[in-house]
Amino acid sequence: MKIFDSINMLYVDEPVNILVKSKNFSVLLCIFSLAALILGGMNLALHNLHNIIPSVLVLLFSVIALAFHSKGKYTLTSTLYFIAIGFLPFIISMTQQTLNHRDVFMYFFFCVPFIVLTVIT
């Protein structure tokens, strides 16, 4: 696809691992955007309006990340994107309803390791 080729041309002079990660990140952003669009459409069709917020946020984060990624800022963009996606379930659960101890436990059990691995990587 031409958009992937034009984005990846920015990273040709980088080490091979950055080039490969850049290609994978571009594909991942497109997959997340498409999935968010499909899930948002399904929730809209099923009149689950409170479930549209996560889809819109993921779509917004993905489009913004793709815009910065296409400007050659892969490392910063990917780190911030994964941190934002990692915190998204916690933010959404706080806005939709009050948290109980089980929600906080599940968040830290599943999302925090994802954020830590993102920062390490």
Side-chain angles (χ1 to χ4, degrees):
M1 296 177 57
K2 289 186 179 188
I3 188 167
F4 294 138
D5 294 338
S6 64
I7 290 173
N8 293 324
M9 288 304 293
L10 298 170
Y11 302 100
V12 170
D13 297 331
E14 297 290 329
V16 175
N17 64 339
I18 297 294
L19 181 63
V20 170
K21 288 179 181 180
S22 168
K23 288 179 183 180
N24 292 342
F25 187 60
S26 300
V27 172
L28 179 88
L29 288 174
C30 290
I31 290 171
F32 275 18
S33 298
L34 184 62
L37 231 114
I38 291 170
L39 289 174
M42 286 176 48
N43 285 321
L44 189 63
L46 296 173
H47 302 291
N48 294 332
L49 300 179
H50 60 280
N51 288 339
I52 292 177
I53 295 170
S55 299
V56 169
L57 287 175
V58 168
L59 183 63
L60 182 68
F61 289 161
S62 299
V63 168
I64 291 171
L66 190 60
F68 280 107
H69 182 52
S70 66
K71 296 207 185 313
K73 301 183 185 318
Y74 161 72
T75 308
L76 178 66
T77 303
S78 64
T79 302
L80 291 177
Y81 179 76
F82 288 123
I83 289 173
I85 294 296
F87 277 113
L88 192 61
F90 186 66
I91 294 167
I92 290 168
S93 64
M94 286 183 64
T95 59
Q96 288 184 347
Q97 61 190 11
T98 58
L99 290 175
N100 59 26
H101 68 281
R102 182 180 173 273
D103 293 332
V104 173
F105 171 76
M106 294 303 281
Y107 172 75
F108 282 107
F109 187 73
F110 289 109
C111 295
V112 170
F114 183 66
I115 294 169
V116 169
L117 286 174
T118 299
V119 172
I120 290 171
T121 311

